[in-house]
């Protein structure tokens, strides 16, 4: 009799668990086992706190400190690779040396101009009040396959905040994109009081920039925006796209790092090229209640387009580093990881198409 009572109680629970496992609101999970790798021994397992795969500095933080395990003294360290796995360290690409970046060379992005000419836009700190301007740098020798040496011309800075912009929250220019009107555009993160801002600038020659009257995008109550990222993706397809790509069946991803939460969020939407405005889709939530780019310790990422393989490469800028500060003194903190990620876009038939980010 006791068995029957227990069985009657357990049966509905069992059926409920089975239904959750089978249906789970249409969400499927997968687990792939690589048995041929299970018998292999670990590589460099005796090197405590060192990775065996992802890029990692010899010591200290990446792009945040070259003299210790605390924030400051920001430079652009430089390593090169043919496969994103094996890396060779070369000289620093950009470091504080001129009045327009005397107090730090902060984040930015690279753009390849016509004629295969790379140029870096980056944020320079000009004083101890953290006044921020946007500078550029070009390679000293474009025929050098490693692009070891970079020059910061004396006509910097290219972009200076006007009186409507908070000069201490004005940083991280994106890769520029070329509009149908032949003008380059870049967006820069910041805030206006408690409103997150993605300021938009235009230029005909990449040297003289004009601030557009309205931001590319902004959201009230989200605080300072850092490391914005803005790029097109295919509605159907796995290949990445150049930032300047246009055409039908495109959506746009707008990613931002929220200073107040230290996490990254994104929306998917459309880009009105006539009004120069990004418009999130109706079902998107802007801000810290929206979609996270990653649900781990993940911050200040940046992506770029790789034309050789038609893919978009995503780099993690920082993970949650505070518990690891002491480790960094001897091991070096991992804060640049390449990874694959899918953005799912609902279509007319309620299916989802994958947008691959490698």
């Amino acid at each position: 009799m006791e068995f029957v009572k227990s069985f009657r109680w357990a049966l509905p629970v069992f059926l409920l668990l089975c239904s959750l496992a089978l249906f789970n609101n249409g969400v499927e999970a997968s687990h792939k086992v690589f048995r041929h790798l299970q018998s292999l021994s670990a590589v460099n397992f005796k090197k405590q706190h060192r990775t065996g795969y992802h890029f990692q500095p010899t010591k200290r933080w990446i792009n945040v400190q070259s003299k210790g395990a605390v924030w400051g003294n920001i430079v652009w360290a430089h390593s090169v690779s043919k496969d994103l796995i094996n890396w060779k360290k070369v000289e620093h690409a950009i470091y504080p040396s001129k009045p327009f970046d005397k107090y730090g060379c902060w984040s930015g992005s690279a753009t390849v101009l016509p004629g295969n000419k790379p140029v870096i836009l980056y944020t320079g700190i000009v004083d101890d009040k953290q006044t921020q301007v946007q500078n550029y740098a070009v390679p000293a020798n474009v025929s050098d396959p490693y692009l070891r040496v970079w020059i910061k011309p004396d006509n910097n800075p290219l972009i200076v905040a006007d009186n409507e912009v908070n000069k201490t929250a004005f940083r991280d220019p994106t890769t520029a994109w070329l509009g149908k009107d032949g003008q380059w555009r870049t967006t820069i993160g910041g805030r206006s009081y408690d409103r997150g801002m993605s300021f938009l600038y235009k230029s005909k020659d990449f040297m003289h920039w004009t601030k557009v009257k309205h931001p590319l995008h902004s959201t009230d109550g989200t605080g300072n925006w850092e490391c914005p990222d803005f790029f097109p993706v295919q509605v159907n397809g796995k290949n990445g796209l150049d930032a300047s790509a246009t055409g039908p069946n495109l959506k746009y991803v707008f990613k931002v790092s929220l200073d107040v939460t230290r996490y990254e969020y994104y929306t998917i939407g459309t880009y009105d090229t006539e009004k120069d405005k990004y418009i999130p889709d109706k079902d998107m939530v802007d801000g810290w209640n929206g979609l996270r780019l990653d649900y781990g310790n993940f911050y200040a990422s940046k992506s770029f387009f790789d034309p050789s393989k038609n893919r978009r490469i995503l780099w993690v800028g920082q993970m949650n580093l505070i518990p690891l500060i002491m480790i960094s003194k001897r091991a070096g903190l991992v804060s640049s990881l390449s990874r694959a990620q899918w953005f799912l876009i609902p279509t007319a038939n309620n299916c989802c198409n994958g947008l691959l980010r490698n």
Side-chain angles (χ1 to χ4, degrees):
M1 188 66 180
E2 290 298 325
F3 171 78
V4 173
K5 290 182 179 179
S6 299
F7 179 76
R8 288 176 178 174
W9 174 85
L11 180 59
V13 175
F14 175 74
L15 293 175
L16 175 62
L17 292 175
C18 287
S19 64
L20 289 174
L22 289 172
F23 300 103
N24 195 24
N25 293 324
V27 178
E28 297 181 0
S30 64
H31 178 64
K32 193 170 184 178
V33 179
F34 297 91
R35 298 191 183 281
H36 65 287
L37 299 177
Q38 292 179 354
S39 61
L40 298 180
S41 60
V43 178
N44 295 330
F45 65 93
K46 291 183 179 180
K47 294 184 178 181
Q48 188 179 19
H49 307 307
R50 299 295 300 178
T51 68
Y53 183 80
H54 291 297
F55 175 68
Q56 189 172 6
T58 53
K59 56 184 177 179
R60 306 185 180 110
W61 289 9
I62 293 179
N63 198 31
V64 241
Q65 176 55 270
S66 63
K67 292 184 179 179
V70 292
W71 185 89
N73 190 41
I74 299 175
V75 304
W76 280 51
H78 190 187
S79 295
V80 296
S81 173
K82 294 181 180 180
D83 55 13
L84 299 182
I85 298 174
N86 302 287
W87 293 87
K88 176 182 175 63
K89 181 182 177 181
V90 296
E91 308 94 305
H92 287 346
I94 305 173
Y95 50 89
S97 64
K98 295 194 174 184
F100 47 78
D101 63 11
K102 180 180 178 181
Y103 288 80
C105 299
W106 288 15
S107 181
S109 305
T111 302
V112 180
L113 302 182
N116 203 28
K117 299 176 181 177
V119 57
I120 289 175
L121 287 176
Y122 72 97
T123 299
I125 311 302
V126 301
D127 55 33
D128 57 5
K129 298 178 181 179
Q130 291 196 1
T131 300
Q132 298 157 23
V133 299
Q134 314 310 317
N135 304 319
Y136 80 106
V138 293
N141 180 11
V142 293
S143 63
D144 175 10
Y146 289 168
L147 298 177
R148 290 179 179 87
V149 181
W150 289 76
I151 297 172
K152 301 179 295 184
D154 290 333
N155 63 329
N156 276 308
L158 293 185
I159 302 175
V160 177
D162 60 27
N163 293 331
E164 297 178 352
V165 175
N166 184 332
K167 297 177 176 61
T168 63
F170 181 60
R171 51 185 175 268
D172 312 329
T174 64
T175 296
W177 68 95
L178 192 61
K180 294 180 180 179
D181 57 1
Q183 294 196 58
W184 291 98
R185 289 159 174 80
T186 187
T187 187
I188 301 167
R191 65 179 175 87
S192 176
Y193 299 99
D194 195 37
R195 188 178 190 87
M197 304 288 287
S198 182
F199 299 105
L200 183 63
Y201 287 79
K202 297 169 63 174
S203 175
K204 294 180 179 179
D205 57 7
F206 218 87
M207 291 292 105
H208 303 88
W209 293 85
T210 302
K211 179 169 166 279
V212 178
K213 292 182 179 179
H214 58 77
L216 174 69
H217 187 48
S218 68
T219 304
D220 195 25
T222 55
N224 189 40
W225 285 4
E226 296 187 300
C227 300
D229 207 358
F230 182 63
F231 53 88
V233 290
Q234 299 182 62
V235 172
N236 297 288
K238 297 180 180 180
N239 289 337
L241 295 173
D242 181 80
S244 300
T246 58
N249 298 320
L250 294 185
K251 285 284 188 176
Y252 283 79
V253 174
F254 182 84
K255 187 278 302 182
V256 67
S257 305
L258 292 189
D259 202 2
V260 67
T261 65
R262 310 304 289 178
Y263 292 121
E264 300 211 295
Y265 305 82
Y266 75 93
T267 56
I268 297 171
T270 58
Y271 174 39
D272 188 331
T273 57
E274 299 297 325
K275 297 181 180 180
D276 265 331
K277 292 281 289 184
Y278 168 72
I279 306 166
D281 288 347
K282 292 182 179 180
D283 57 344
M284 292 286 115
V285 178
D286 240 340
W288 53 70
N289 290 322
L291 294 172
R292 292 257 299 272
L293 190 63
D294 188 279
Y295 286 83
N297 295 322
F298 188 95
Y299 192 73
S301 70
K302 173 61 192 169
S303 73
F304 66 92
F305 177 64
D306 173 14
S308 64
K309 294 187 176 181
N310 289 321
R311 59 181 178 171
R312 179 162 289 272
I313 307 292
L314 170 68
W315 288 100
V316 181
Q318 297 175 11
M319 296 182 293
N320 190 344
L321 305 178
I322 302 303
L324 302 175
I325 284 179
M326 296 310 296
I327 296 174
S328 75
K329 291 183 178 180
R330 57 177 176 173
L333 291 181
V334 181
S335 68
S336 284
L337 313 177
S338 59
R339 63 198 305 259
Q341 184 166 5
W342 288 86
F343 293 110
L344 298 180
I345 297 181
T347 57
N349 59 0
N350 292 324
C351 291
C352 290
N353 295 309
L355 303 167
L356 183 63
R357 226 176 154 184
N358 287 331

